């Protein structure tokens, strides 16, 4: 096992320095029990991955019984390790309007400023900390395509709290010292630009990051959002770089087989198989990229992660793991470099397959 040094970079225009690899935690409290989660967190910091991302709605798949569980697990980990909080960068998210989860914000269909403030207070309590380094809106409050939706449909427009009102609520948290920096997630080019415009117009906090999916099989970001982020100096936090495990190669032979739940979340959870990462065409695409990796003497995991790790678009790549072994494999992949020829082969596959899991 190598021990690569994971570099840091400033997130957006801010002074917040984050590692180029971030530990995602949405499996903690569902696939990963608390003791294992604490072991993974310890190992992550030991390996130099001290940027930790979570959310109020986690664990995933979302259930009433596990709402807030991931934050609580992290909070107990911090409480048991005096001084650890000052060693990590901690990010979490406020849920957007209800997506069939009546236990989140009482099923609110319109994220209100007061709900943002209350959600932050609740997250601080569960995390057992006084401040969140990066507080993100998990998905847009307005009508916008997200979570695999491809098209914007104006017929679905409705009344929603304005972006200015959302920023004013976030400003209240920043001014109170509860939040250091703010970000977005599952956003569109228009959404990012409007958050920046409203911040400039009204002297409100500027978003420093956008957390969106980015993977070999999910490259919608390359079609415009990348330019928006680059020119606006907003950092990309790339999530699901392994496409929920499909880009590790473990599903290549058996498919998303529900009779083998030990393979991972796509096999284990019917709700996941019904979503973007479980589409049949997503498996077809993953098999192509996994085969390409093997042809070039790489593991599928190394190819998929290296594609994100060294991509100019990506400030930090969020890895999700269920074991220390998976964590080590993901961190070790930092040393992998992809040749221009291999990158060209990746793009050829993309053009042939048309991003099946956007």
């Amino acid at each position: 096992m190598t021990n690569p040094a994971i570099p840091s970079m400033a997130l957006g225009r801010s002074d917040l320095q984050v590692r180029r690899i971030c530990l995602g935690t949405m499996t903690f409290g569902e696939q990963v029990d608390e003791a294992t989660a604490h072991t993974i967190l310890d190992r992550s910091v030991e390996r130099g991955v001290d940027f930790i991302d979570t959310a109020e709605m986690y664990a995933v798949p979302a259930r009433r019984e596990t709402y807030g569980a991931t934050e609580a697990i992290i909070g107990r980990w911090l409480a048991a390790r005096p001084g650890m909080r000052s060693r990590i960068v901690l990010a979490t998210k406020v849920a957007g309007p209800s997506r069939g989860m009546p236990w989140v914000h009482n099923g609110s269909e319109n994220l209100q400023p007061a709900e943002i403030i209350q959600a932050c207070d609740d997250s601080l309590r569960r995390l057992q900390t006084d401040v969140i380094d990066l507080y993100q809106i998990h998905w847009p409050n307005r009508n916008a395509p997200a979570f695999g939706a491809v098209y914007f449909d104006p017929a679905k427009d409705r009344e929603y709290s304005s972006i200015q009102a959302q920023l004013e609520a976030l400003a209240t948290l920043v001014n109170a010292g509860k939040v250091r920096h703010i970000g977005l997630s599952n956003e569109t080019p228009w959404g990012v630009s409007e958050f920046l415009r409203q911040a400039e117009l009204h002297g409100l906090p500027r978003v420093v990051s956008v957390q969106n999916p980015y993977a070999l099989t999910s490259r919608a970001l390359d079609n415009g959002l990348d330019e928006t982020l680059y020119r606006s100096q907003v950092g990309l936090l790339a999530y699901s770089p392994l496409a929920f495990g499909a880009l590790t190669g473990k599903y290549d032979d058996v498919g998303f087989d529900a009779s083998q739940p030990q393979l991972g979340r796509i096999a284990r959870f019917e709700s996941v198989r019904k979503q973007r990462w479980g589409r049949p065409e997503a498996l077809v695409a993953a098999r192509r990229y996994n085969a390409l990796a093997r042809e070039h003497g790489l593991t599928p995991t190394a190819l998929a992660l290296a594609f994100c790790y060294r991509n100019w678009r990506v400030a930090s790549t969020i890895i999700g793991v269920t074991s220390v072994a998976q964590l080590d494999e993901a961190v070790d992949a930092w040393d992998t470099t992809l040749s221009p020829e291999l990158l060209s082969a990746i793009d050829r596959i993309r053009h042939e397959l048309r991003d099946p899991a956007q």
Side-chain angles (χ1 to χ4, degrees):
M1 180 185 69
T2 61
N3 192 28
I6 308 304
S8 298
M9 69 177 298
L11 197 52
R13 287 186 188 173
S14 77
D15 59 359
L16 181 63
Q17 293 283 325
V18 299
R19 298 289 183 180
R20 298 292 305 279
I21 301 177
C22 173
L23 179 66
T25 61
M26 73 179 188
T27 60
F28 294 0
E30 183 65 67
Q31 289 176 265
V32 179
D33 63 33
E34 183 158 343
T36 304
H38 287 185
T39 300
I40 290 170
L41 287 161
D42 286 337
R43 180 62 171 165
S44 182
V45 174
E46 178 187 338
R47 294 297 308 272
V49 179
D50 52 14
F51 182 18
I52 312 297
D53 179 73
T54 188
E56 67 164 322
M57 66 159 279
Y58 291 168
V60 171
R63 297 188 293 126
R64 184 185 299 272
E65 295 79 6
T66 58
Y67 168 66
T70 305
E71 287 186 330
I73 287 170
I74 295 170
R76 289 188 287 271
W77 174 72
L78 288 171
R81 292 155 178 78
M84 182 60 77
R85 178 64 187 91
S86 64
R87 296 176 58 190
I88 67 168
V89 174
L90 184 58
T92 192
K93 314 178 199 71
V94 55
S98 179
R99 295 174 55 86
M101 297 179 290
W103 58 88
V104 180
H105 308 163
N106 296 313
S108 174
E109 295 290 340
N110 178 19
L111 182 62
Q112 302 283 348
E115 291 169 341
I116 294 174
I117 292 170
Q118 183 62 56
C120 181
D121 286 340
D122 291 343
S123 288
L124 288 168
R125 172 180 49 79
R126 287 188 292 263
L127 290 164
Q128 301 193 46
T129 187
D130 295 327
V131 63
I132 294 163
D133 296 306
L134 177 63
Y135 197 49
Q136 305 152 98
I137 297 176
H138 205 153
W139 58 87
N141 189 44
R142 67 190 187 280
N143 166 37
F147 298 111
V150 177
Y151 300 112
F152 170 67
D153 182 0
K156 294 181 179 178
D157 269 0
R158 52 174 172 73
E159 183 179 352
Y160 60 88
S161 298
S162 69
I163 286 174
Q164 180 184 343
Q166 293 169 63
L167 281 171
E168 288 171 346
L170 293 168
T172 298
L173 296 170
V174 171
N175 293 335
K178 296 177 180 180
V179 166
R180 291 196 171 105
H181 302 277
I182 65 167
L184 304 171
S185 185
N186 298 293
E187 259 298 356
T188 68
W190 184 87
V192 175
S193 298
E194 187 64 9
F195 267 92
L196 294 173
R197 190 178 76 89
Q198 292 294 329
E200 180 71 20
L201 279 174
H202 302 288
L204 295 167
R206 190 181 200 272
V207 298
V208 302
S209 62
V210 173
Q211 183 176 149
N212 270 31
Y214 196 61
L216 290 170
T217 54
S218 183
R219 293 179 61 183
L221 181 136
D222 292 347
N223 300 332
L225 182 55
D226 56 352
E227 182 185 7
T228 297
L229 298 180
Y230 176 79
R231 298 196 186 283
S232 302
Q233 295 179 274
V234 174
L236 170 64
L237 307 180
Y239 78 74
S240 295
L242 295 176
F244 272 41
L247 289 170
T248 67
K250 62 186 176 182
Y251 296 112
D252 283 4
D253 293 336
V254 299
F256 301 144
D257 185 358
S259 70
Q260 300 188 58
Q262 74 282 359
L263 288 174
R265 70 192 78 162
I266 301 180
R268 181 173 177 176
F269 301 111
E270 182 181 8
S271 60
V272 175
R273 289 194 299 279
K274 291 180 177 179
Q275 297 171 7
R276 52 187 161 161
W277 305 109
R279 295 171 180 166
E281 58 269 32
L283 179 59
V284 170
R287 285 170 168 158
R288 288 283 302 276
Y289 290 115
N290 296 341
L292 179 67
R294 297 182 184 106
E295 289 168 8
H296 287 261
L298 298 173
T299 66
T301 298
L303 175 68
L305 291 177
F307 174 76
C308 291
Y309 286 168
R310 302 307 175 95
N311 196 301
W312 64 263
R313 298 168 178 84
V314 179
S316 185
T317 301
I318 301 173
I319 57 171
V321 303
T322 58
S323 69
V324 168
Q326 288 182 356
L327 173 69
D328 283 335
E329 182 182 13
V331 175
D332 289 343
W334 178 261
D335 281 338
T336 303
T337 58
L338 306 181
S339 68
E341 293 76 18
L342 183 48
L343 290 170
S344 294
I346 286 170
D347 278 344
R348 284 196 297 273
I349 293 175
R350 184 206 178 192
H351 293 316
E352 293 171 7
L353 295 175
R354 313 293 289 190
D355 285 1
Q358 290 182 359

